[in-house]
Short mmCIF file of all heavy atoms in Angstrom, two decimals:
data_model
loop_
_atom_site.label_atom_id
_atom_site.label_comp_id
_atom_site.label_asym_id
_atom_site.label_seq_id
_atom_site.Cartn_x
_atom_site.Cartn_y
_atom_site.Cartn_z
N LEU B 647 -4.05 0.36 7.76
CA LEU B 647 -3.02 -0.53 7.21
C LEU B 647 -2.55 -1.46 8.32
O LEU B 647 -2.09 -1.01 9.38
CB LEU B 647 -1.82 0.25 6.69
CG LEU B 647 -1.98 1.07 5.40
CD1 LEU B 647 -2.82 2.33 5.61
CD2 LEU B 647 -0.62 1.47 4.83
N ARG B 648 -2.65 -2.74 8.07
CA ARG B 648 -2.22 -3.73 9.05
C ARG B 648 -1.46 -4.83 8.32
O ARG B 648 -2.00 -5.42 7.36
CB ARG B 648 -3.41 -4.32 9.80
CG ARG B 648 -3.05 -5.27 10.92
CD ARG B 648 -4.27 -5.71 11.67
NE ARG B 648 -3.93 -6.52 12.83
CZ ARG B 648 -4.83 -7.03 13.66
NH1 ARG B 648 -6.13 -6.79 13.48
NH2 ARG B 648 -4.46 -7.78 14.67
N ASP B 649 -0.25 -5.11 8.74
CA ASP B 649 0.60 -6.10 8.10
C ASP B 649 0.80 -5.73 6.62
O ASP B 649 0.43 -6.47 5.69
CB ASP B 649 -0.02 -7.50 8.21
CG ASP B 649 -0.06 -7.97 9.64
OD1 ASP B 649 0.96 -7.91 10.33
OD2 ASP B 649 -1.16 -8.41 10.09
N VAL B 650 1.41 -4.55 6.42
CA VAL B 650 1.69 -4.04 5.09
C VAL B 650 3.19 -3.81 4.94
O VAL B 650 3.83 -3.27 5.86
CB VAL B 650 0.91 -2.73 4.82
CG1 VAL B 650 1.30 -2.14 3.45
CG2 VAL B 650 -0.60 -2.99 4.88
N VAL B 651 3.75 -4.22 3.80
CA VAL B 651 5.18 -4.06 3.55
C VAL B 651 5.36 -3.27 2.25
O VAL B 651 4.81 -3.64 1.21
CB VAL B 651 5.89 -5.42 3.44
CG1 VAL B 651 7.39 -5.20 3.13
CG2 VAL B 651 5.72 -6.24 4.70
N PHE B 652 6.13 -2.18 2.34
CA PHE B 652 6.55 -1.45 1.15
C PHE B 652 7.99 -1.83 0.90
O PHE B 652 8.88 -1.50 1.68
CB PHE B 652 6.41 0.05 1.38
CG PHE B 652 5.01 0.53 1.57
CD1 PHE B 652 4.48 0.72 2.85
CD2 PHE B 652 4.18 0.78 0.49
CE1 PHE B 652 3.19 1.17 3.03
CE2 PHE B 652 2.87 1.22 0.65
CZ PHE B 652 2.37 1.41 1.93
N ASP B 653 8.24 -2.55 -0.19
CA ASP B 653 9.53 -3.16 -0.42
C ASP B 653 10.09 -2.70 -1.78
O ASP B 653 9.49 -2.93 -2.83
CB ASP B 653 9.36 -4.69 -0.43
CG ASP B 653 10.67 -5.45 -0.48
OD1 ASP B 653 11.72 -4.84 -0.72
OD2 ASP B 653 10.65 -6.67 -0.26
N SER B 654 11.26 -2.04 -1.71
CA SER B 654 11.99 -1.66 -2.93
C SER B 654 11.15 -0.82 -3.88
O SER B 654 11.21 -0.98 -5.10
CB SER B 654 12.50 -2.91 -3.67
OG SER B 654 13.29 -3.69 -2.83
N CYS B 655 10.35 0.10 -3.33
CA CYS B 655 9.52 0.97 -4.15
C CYS B 655 9.83 2.42 -3.81
O CYS B 655 10.51 2.75 -2.84
CB CYS B 655 8.04 0.66 -3.95
SG CYS B 655 7.48 0.78 -2.24
N VAL B 656 9.30 3.31 -4.63
CA VAL B 656 9.48 4.76 -4.43
C VAL B 656 8.10 5.35 -4.15
O VAL B 656 7.16 5.20 -4.96
CB VAL B 656 10.11 5.41 -5.66
CG1 VAL B 656 10.20 6.93 -5.45
CG2 VAL B 656 11.48 4.84 -5.95
N LEU B 657 7.98 6.01 -3.00
CA LEU B 657 6.73 6.67 -2.64
C LEU B 657 6.99 8.17 -2.59
O LEU B 657 7.78 8.66 -1.80
CB LEU B 657 6.25 6.20 -1.26
CG LEU B 657 6.01 4.69 -1.08
CD1 LEU B 657 5.68 4.36 0.37
CD2 LEU B 657 4.90 4.22 -2.00
N VAL B 658 6.33 8.91 -3.47
CA VAL B 658 6.51 10.36 -3.57
C VAL B 658 5.26 11.05 -2.98
O VAL B 658 4.15 10.87 -3.50
CB VAL B 658 6.75 10.79 -5.02
CG1 VAL B 658 6.89 12.32 -5.11
CG2 VAL B 658 8.00 10.12 -5.57
N GLU B 659 5.46 11.79 -1.93
CA GLU B 659 4.42 12.54 -1.22
C GLU B 659 3.19 11.68 -0.90
O GLU B 659 2.05 12.03 -1.22
CB GLU B 659 3.99 13.77 -2.04
CG GLU B 659 5.13 14.76 -2.21
CD GLU B 659 4.72 16.08 -2.84
OE1 GLU B 659 3.52 16.45 -2.67
OE2 GLU B 659 5.56 16.73 -3.47
N PRO B 660 3.42 10.54 -0.23
CA PRO B 660 2.28 9.77 0.23
C PRO B 660 1.57 10.45 1.38
O PRO B 660 2.23 11.07 2.22
CB PRO B 660 2.92 8.45 0.67
CG PRO B 660 4.31 8.85 1.10
CD PRO B 660 4.71 9.96 0.18
N ASP B 661 0.27 10.31 1.43
CA ASP B 661 -0.53 10.99 2.44
C ASP B 661 -1.13 9.94 3.38
O ASP B 661 -2.08 9.26 3.01
CB ASP B 661 -1.64 11.81 1.77
CG ASP B 661 -2.38 12.72 2.73
OD1 ASP B 661 -2.18 12.58 3.95
OD2 ASP B 661 -3.13 13.59 2.28
N PHE B 662 -0.55 9.86 4.59
CA PHE B 662 -1.06 8.95 5.62
C PHE B 662 -1.82 9.67 6.70
O PHE B 662 -2.05 9.16 7.78
CB PHE B 662 0.11 8.20 6.29
CG PHE B 662 0.89 7.29 5.36
CD1 PHE B 662 2.12 7.69 4.85
CD2 PHE B 662 0.44 6.03 5.04
CE1 PHE B 662 2.87 6.87 4.03
CE2 PHE B 662 1.17 5.18 4.21
CZ PHE B 662 2.40 5.61 3.71
N ALA B 663 -2.25 10.92 6.42
CA ALA B 663 -2.88 11.73 7.44
C ALA B 663 -4.14 11.04 8.01
O ALA B 663 -5.00 10.57 7.25
CB ALA B 663 -3.28 13.08 6.89
N GLY B 664 -4.21 10.92 9.32
CA GLY B 664 -5.35 10.32 9.97
C GLY B 664 -5.44 8.82 9.82
O GLY B 664 -6.43 8.20 10.28
N ALA B 665 -4.43 8.21 9.22
CA ALA B 665 -4.47 6.76 8.99
C ALA B 665 -4.01 5.98 10.24
O ALA B 665 -3.36 6.53 11.11
CB ALA B 665 -3.58 6.39 7.80
N SER B 666 -4.35 4.72 10.27
CA SER B 666 -3.90 3.80 11.31
C SER B 666 -2.93 2.80 10.68
O SER B 666 -3.32 2.11 9.73
CB SER B 666 -5.09 3.08 11.93
OG SER B 666 -4.69 2.04 12.79
N LEU B 667 -1.70 2.76 11.19
CA LEU B 667 -0.69 1.86 10.67
C LEU B 667 -0.23 0.93 11.78
O LEU B 667 0.26 1.37 12.81
CB LEU B 667 0.52 2.65 10.13
CG LEU B 667 0.34 3.48 8.86
CD1 LEU B 667 -0.35 4.79 9.18
CD2 LEU B 667 1.67 3.75 8.20
N GLU B 668 -0.40 -0.35 11.58
CA GLU B 668 0.04 -1.36 12.55
C GLU B 668 0.84 -2.45 11.84
O GLU B 668 0.35 -3.03 10.84
CB GLU B 668 -1.19 -1.97 13.25
CG GLU B 668 -0.83 -3.02 14.29
CD GLU B 668 -2.03 -3.62 14.97
OE1 GLU B 668 -3.16 -3.22 14.66
OE2 GLU B 668 -1.84 -4.54 15.82
N ARG B 669 2.01 -2.71 12.33
CA ARG B 669 2.93 -3.68 11.70
C ARG B 669 3.09 -3.35 10.22
O ARG B 669 2.74 -4.13 9.32
CB ARG B 669 2.44 -5.10 11.92
CG ARG B 669 2.47 -5.56 13.39
CD ARG B 669 2.30 -7.05 13.54
NE ARG B 669 1.07 -7.54 13.02
CZ ARG B 669 -0.09 -7.57 13.70
NH1 ARG B 669 -0.11 -7.14 14.95
NH2 ARG B 669 -1.19 -8.04 13.14
N VAL B 670 3.67 -2.19 9.98
CA VAL B 670 3.96 -1.71 8.63
C VAL B 670 5.46 -1.56 8.48
O VAL B 670 6.11 -0.97 9.35
CB VAL B 670 3.24 -0.38 8.31
CG1 VAL B 670 3.63 0.15 6.94
CG2 VAL B 670 1.72 -0.57 8.40
N GLU B 671 6.04 -2.10 7.42
CA GLU B 671 7.48 -2.06 7.22
C GLU B 671 7.82 -1.36 5.91
O GLU B 671 7.12 -1.54 4.88
CB GLU B 671 8.05 -3.49 7.15
CG GLU B 671 7.88 -4.30 8.41
CD GLU B 671 8.46 -5.70 8.28
OE1 GLU B 671 9.46 -5.85 7.52
OE2 GLU B 671 7.89 -6.64 8.87
N PHE B 672 8.87 -0.56 5.95
CA PHE B 672 9.43 0.07 4.75
C PHE B 672 10.81 -0.55 4.55
O PHE B 672 11.71 -0.36 5.38
CB PHE B 672 9.49 1.59 4.93
CG PHE B 672 8.16 2.24 5.07
CD1 PHE B 672 7.54 2.30 6.31
CD2 PHE B 672 7.51 2.78 3.97
CE1 PHE B 672 6.27 2.91 6.45
CE2 PHE B 672 6.27 3.39 4.10
CZ PHE B 672 5.66 3.45 5.34
N VAL B 673 10.99 -1.30 3.47
CA VAL B 673 12.21 -2.06 3.24
C VAL B 673 12.86 -1.58 1.95
O VAL B 673 12.28 -1.70 0.85
CB VAL B 673 11.89 -3.56 3.14
CG1 VAL B 673 13.17 -4.36 2.92
CG2 VAL B 673 11.16 -4.04 4.38
N ASP B 674 14.06 -1.01 2.06
CA ASP B 674 14.81 -0.59 0.86
C ASP B 674 13.96 0.24 -0.09
O ASP B 674 13.94 0.03 -1.31
CB ASP B 674 15.37 -1.82 0.11
CG ASP B 674 16.39 -2.58 0.94
OD1 ASP B 674 17.09 -1.94 1.72
OD2 ASP B 674 16.47 -3.81 0.79
N CYS B 675 13.25 1.21 0.47
CA CYS B 675 12.40 2.05 -0.37
C CYS B 675 12.63 3.50 -0.06
O CYS B 675 13.22 3.86 0.97
CB CYS B 675 10.94 1.66 -0.21
SG CYS B 675 10.26 2.05 1.41
N ALA B 676 12.19 4.36 -0.96
CA ALA B 676 12.32 5.82 -0.77
C ALA B 676 10.98 6.35 -0.30
O ALA B 676 9.93 6.05 -0.91
CB ALA B 676 12.72 6.47 -2.08
N LEU B 677 11.01 7.16 0.75
CA LEU B 677 9.79 7.77 1.29
C LEU B 677 10.00 9.29 1.25
O LEU B 677 10.71 9.85 2.10
CB LEU B 677 9.57 7.28 2.73
CG LEU B 677 8.23 7.62 3.40
CD1 LEU B 677 7.04 7.10 2.58
CD2 LEU B 677 8.20 7.06 4.82
N LYS B 678 9.44 9.94 0.27
CA LYS B 678 9.72 11.34 0.00
C LYS B 678 8.48 12.19 0.29
O LYS B 678 7.41 11.97 -0.29
CB LYS B 678 10.12 11.54 -1.46
CG LYS B 678 11.34 10.74 -1.89
CD LYS B 678 11.68 10.98 -3.34
CE LYS B 678 12.91 10.20 -3.78
NZ LYS B 678 13.28 10.43 -5.20
N GLY B 679 8.64 13.19 1.17
CA GLY B 679 7.56 14.14 1.44
C GLY B 679 6.34 13.53 2.05
O GLY B 679 5.20 13.90 1.71
N ALA B 680 6.50 12.60 2.99
CA ALA B 680 5.36 11.90 3.58
C ALA B 680 4.62 12.78 4.59
O ALA B 680 5.23 13.54 5.32
CB ALA B 680 5.81 10.61 4.25
N ASP B 681 3.32 12.61 4.65
CA ASP B 681 2.49 13.30 5.61
C ASP B 681 1.86 12.27 6.56
O ASP B 681 1.11 11.40 6.15
CB ASP B 681 1.35 14.03 4.86
CG ASP B 681 0.46 14.87 5.77
OD1 ASP B 681 0.54 14.72 7.01
OD2 ASP B 681 -0.35 15.67 5.26
N PHE B 682 2.26 12.36 7.86
CA PHE B 682 1.71 11.50 8.89
C PHE B 682 0.84 12.28 9.86
O PHE B 682 0.60 11.82 10.98
CB PHE B 682 2.85 10.80 9.67
CG PHE B 682 3.53 9.71 8.90
CD1 PHE B 682 4.73 9.93 8.23
CD2 PHE B 682 2.98 8.43 8.85
CE1 PHE B 682 5.37 8.92 7.54
CE2 PHE B 682 3.62 7.42 8.15
CZ PHE B 682 4.81 7.65 7.49
N GLY B 683 0.38 13.42 9.48
CA GLY B 683 -0.43 14.25 10.39
C GLY B 683 -1.65 13.50 10.90
O GLY B 683 -2.45 13.00 10.12
N GLY B 684 -1.81 13.46 12.24
CA GLY B 684 -2.95 12.83 12.83
C GLY B 684 -2.99 11.30 12.73
O GLY B 684 -3.99 10.67 13.08
N ALA B 685 -1.90 10.70 12.24
CA ALA B 685 -1.86 9.23 12.08
C ALA B 685 -1.58 8.56 13.44
O ALA B 685 -1.07 9.17 14.36
CB ALA B 685 -0.80 8.86 11.07
N ALA B 686 -1.96 7.29 13.51
CA ALA B 686 -1.65 6.47 14.70
C ALA B 686 -0.79 5.30 14.26
O ALA B 686 -1.19 4.53 13.38
CB ALA B 686 -2.97 5.97 15.32
#
Side-chain angles (χ1 to χ4, degrees):
L647 289 73
R648 185 175 184 180
D649 295 310
V650 175
V651 179
F652 295 97
D653 188 349
S654 304
C655 57
V656 177
L657 303 174
V658 178
E659 297 189 27
D661 189 349
F662 296 100
S666 170
L667 291 79
E668 181 180 358
R669 294 194 299 274
V670 175
E671 298 179 32
F672 296 84
V673 181
D674 296 328
C675 67
L677 190 58
K678 303 179 179 181
D681 184 348
F682 286 98

